[in-house]
Amino acid sequence: MKNFALIGAAGYIAPRHMRAIKDTGNCLTAAFDVNDSVGIIDSLAPEADFFTDFECFYEHAQTLRRRHHQALDYVVVCSPNHLHHAHIAAGLRLGCDVICEKPLVPTPALVDELACVERETGQRVFNILQLRHHEAIVQLRNKVSAAPLNTKFDVDLTYITSRGKWYATSWKGDPRKSFGVATNIGVHFFDMLHFIFGPLQYNRVHYLSETKAGGYLEYQGARVRWFLSVDASDLPASVQGKKATYRNIDVSGEPLEFSEGFTDLHTISYQEILAGNGYGLKDARHCIETVHSIRTSTPRVGGPGEVHPFVIKLSR
């Protein structure tokens, strides 16, 4: 049994990590969040110590370090995006391996910084890239690998997840903290595309705002038109008033259906990490480079066939 601490216990994704810790037969011994709305802990780890001050949490973790049977083995980071780097580094310096949600950090330079801390501490950082474990995505990757050499698939990726007025007030709506919509809701899709289609060869942004973004990516095995949005007005007429989310990934005329099969992906990720097969800094770098490039790009007019249909609608 391994001892875990969780930073960001009140967040949306934290319960999946709590469940994964429990389902892999391990123990959540300490948790921290500035928000104390963490009642979910009662059903998953009621004995965990809880802190709302990071300094108290950190000192507690240091105290546990001197009690060998209680020392932390892993620190899990589910805090807001802009705090990931600091919290990962703190976990490493506590003598723990660290498991962090996406996006790991906002820039490739900070990946390099974390690599330095890994070397200094002898500990490891693992990123949750759970879509790589999804059966439908693994099957598509195998299909792409079996295709004739130099085959390029044509992909349209559309993801619209409506957010209310609260979003703009929260850290998620602040680009200084979330690093923008393409990073906050898109990073796992860009990792998925790299996982399936190989290295990125070309990246052009056609539209970029606080609530939506679109562009064109060319991978070794695919040409991808993409559009991401948190604006309900972008929902297709067929789903407006019926659903708050629209997700469609079309691969050379065939839809990639992966609406199901998400329940256990965090647990599978934990199983792989505990078995020594987790995804580390090198694995996470590609999608971080992609979103950093998107975030710092100046939108340009797209070439023939490169512009996503939803971006074309915005210009009308």
Side-chain angles (χ1 to χ4, degrees), residues 120-199:
E120 291 167 0
T121 61
Q123 305 301 138
R124 290 285 312 280
V125 179
F126 299 99
N127 201 193
I128 295 292
L129 304 175
Q130 76 272 26
L131 289 185
R132 296 188 182 202
H133 299 297
H134 196 290
E135 184 177 353
I137 290 168
V138 172
Q139 289 177 353
L140 177 57
R141 186 176 191 243
N142 293 337
K143 176 182 176 180
V144 170
S145 297
L149 191 65
N150 298 324
T151 297
K152 288 216 181 213
F153 292 81
D154 291 304
V155 178
D156 276 1
L157 186 157
T158 311
Y159 182 55
I160 304 164
T161 178
S162 307
R163 295 291 185 261
K165 292 181 179 179
W166 69 270
Y167 187 87
T169 304
S170 75
W171 68 265
K172 295 181 179 182
D174 185 343
R176 297 169 301 175
K177 296 179 179 180
S178 69
F179 308 113
V181 67
T183 300
N184 197 44
I185 71 168
V187 67
H188 56 295
F189 288 117
F190 297 125
D191 177 70
M192 177 195 74
L193 291 168
H194 163 60
F195 180 69
I196 296 171
F197 298 110

Side-chain angles (χ1 to χ4, degrees), residues 6-10 30-34 49-54 57 87:
L6 175 62
I7 296 174
F32 158 75
D33 203 295
V34 294
D49 293 304
F50 178 70
F51 303 87
T52 55
D53 294 306
F54 186 78
F57 164 79
H87 287 158

